[in-house]
Amino acid sequence: MRRKITLPILGIVLMTLTVLLGNNSVFGNNNTTNNDTPIVTLTSSNYEKETGTGLVFVDFWAPWCGPCRRMAPILESVAKEYKGSAKVGKINVDNYKKFSIDKGIEVLPTIVVYKDGKEITRLRGLVSKEDLVKIITEHTKK
């Protein structure tokens, strides 16, 4: 009798953990980027260096955020197509909560755009590829 109760409860607990942690983190990887991507993984220690020169899009995201997951392939595409013109970086707000709060992040996803270390705009929520490309063309004109 005890085994009949324990197994279903264990199953429910495991499914709940899978949902809460996200499918990737159960298998040891909660980073949406991979090694062959031009997207830079940002941390609180490399943030200033990586955003200091050129045009940089910083995606503040979380693995549990549905709109963030929908934004990921758009950013991946922009990062590949405009590699010489703009850099794309991602920072997981779950790993850098205080840092994200200090940067004024209130909505996910938020993309902060920097030009030579200075913030030029913030994009909140889902953004189209066309809107990102418009920013790139606008700020890379000579």
Side-chain angles (χ1 to χ4, degrees):
M1 179 72 173
R2 185 179 236 176
R3 186 176 294 168
K4 288 181 181 178
I5 295 172
T6 306
L7 289 177
I9 291 174
L10 182 61
I12 291 169
V13 169
L14 288 175
M15 285 191 311
T16 303
L17 285 173
T18 301
V19 170
L20 290 176
L21 297 175
N23 290 336
N24 290 336
S25 62
V26 172
F27 300 105
N29 179 14
N30 68 358
N31 189 355
T32 60
T33 60
N34 57 33
N35 292 338
D36 64 340
T37 181
I39 294 179
V40 178
T41 300
L42 298 173
T43 65
S44 58
S45 50
N46 74 354
Y47 191 89
E48 298 301 323
K49 177 183 173 246
E50 294 291 343
T51 59
T53 57
L55 187 63
V56 184
F57 292 81
V58 178
D59 178 28
F60 286 84
W61 70 284
W64 48 262
C65 168
C68 298
R69 290 193 304 264
R70 290 181 53 202
M71 194 74 221
I74 296 169
L75 289 168
E76 182 79 28
S77 175
V78 168
K80 286 180 180 176
E81 288 179 39
Y82 295 91
K83 191 173 184 178
S85 303
K87 182 191 305 183
V88 177
K90 296 179 71 105
I91 187 162
N92 183 337
V93 298
D94 286 344
N95 296 339
Y96 298 96
K97 289 178 184 164
K98 183 178 180 334
F99 183 79
S100 300
I101 291 167
D102 291 345
K103 291 293 182 187
I105 304 305
E106 299 172 343
V107 176
L108 292 182
T110 293
I111 299 172
V112 181
V113 185
Y114 292 91
K115 173 78 180 216
D116 296 327
K118 293 186 172 92
E119 182 179 331
I120 57 173
T121 192
R122 282 184 183 223
L123 308 166
R124 292 173 178 91
L126 282 173
V127 181
S128 71
K129 181 178 179 181
E130 292 77 23
D131 289 341
L132 298 175
V133 170
K134 190 184 300 181
I135 292 170
I136 293 170
T137 55
E138 196 175 291
H139 291 282
T140 55
K141 292 179 184 176
K142 302 257 174 175

